[in-house]
Amino acid sequence: MSHEDATHGPAPLGSVDPEPMHRAVDALAAALHEYVQTAVGVRAEFGAAEADEDPRVLALENQVGQLNAGVFDALHDGLGMHPDLTSSVWEGEDEDDEHAHDAPEGAVPAEVFYLGFVVADPAPGGAVTLDGVVELLDEAGADVAQRLFDGGYEVAEWATSRGAAVEFGDDDVDDDLTDDEDDEEGPR
């Protein structure tokens, strides 16, 4: 990916052939439809946790991830843009207060920051599994929280999760978490 060509310049591009971009989107859409069909079939046979780790599902998730990258590349190469098309955003009833936190009196309002990873399943027969990623990220989260605290920041909450971003500030959700779930919340 070169940033030296005309697609990254300040001038409008004028005529652009959208066909490569449409082909990339069509391939992604076909893979998503295949994923849905496969996931429905696998879920009919197995429980949710087993279905998440089913090799057919994991292979299709990998394919969707690669095709997402293909859509990014097609848009980037054709338009010079850096699209963020793989973020998951849930609209709440009151979006203004979605990330509000109770801060000590006189403190500056808090904001939520995310660092996300897409991690592929290791090769079959390997010594590690995707379950080990949560443990590794939880350890890293503790280190980052401590570094932020040492730097003078107040870390109201931090968490490690698998599959979806953690929703902070919802005590009902926090009360429902158990030790055997993939979500692990660090010290406050």
Side-chain angles (χ1 to χ4, degrees):
M1 284 186 212
S2 171
H3 287 95
E4 303 298 322
D5 57 13
T7 59
H8 288 86
L13 287 177
S15 179
V16 175
D17 179 13
E19 192 54 35
M21 294 170 249
H22 285 297
R23 280 195 310 269
V25 169
D26 290 343
L28 175 59
L32 287 169
H33 286 297
E34 183 180 357
Y35 178 87
V36 169
Q37 284 300 112
T38 300
V40 167
V42 169
R43 191 61 179 89
E45 296 178 46
F46 302 103
E50 290 175 281
D52 279 338
E53 298 297 325
D54 187 279
R56 297 166 289 184
V57 170
L58 295 173
L60 285 167
E61 287 174 354
N62 184 53
Q63 181 183 5
V64 167
Q66 291 175 0
L67 291 168
N68 273 330
V71 170
F72 178 95
D73 288 344
L75 290 164
H76 181 263
D77 294 347
L79 302 174
M81 296 173 62
H82 300 90
D84 181 11
L85 301 175
T86 58
S87 296
S88 298
V89 179
W90 286 263
E91 292 187 38
E93 291 177 16
D94 189 357
E95 291 183 50
D96 292 338
D97 296 328
E98 181 178 355
H99 297 295
H101 295 282
D102 293 330
E105 189 174 318
V108 176
E111 290 188 38
V112 176
F113 294 86
Y114 293 103
L115 175 63
F117 297 87
V118 177
V119 180
D121 201 19
V128 296
T129 67
L130 287 177
D131 292 332
V133 174
V134 173
E135 183 178 328
L136 179 65
L137 292 177
D138 196 51
E139 291 172 11
D143 291 342
V144 169
Q146 186 62 49
R147 288 177 60 191
L148 288 168
F149 179 77
D150 292 345
Y153 297 97
E154 181 172 336
V155 179
E157 297 180 72
W158 70 271
T160 303
S161 73
R162 179 177 178 182
V166 176
E167 292 190 28
F168 293 107
D170 187 352
D171 293 334
D172 295 334
V173 173
D174 292 343
D175 293 341
D176 293 341
L177 293 177
T178 62
D179 291 336
D180 57 25
E181 290 184 88
D182 286 332
D183 292 341
E184 296 183 26
E185 197 164 321
R188 295 178 188 195

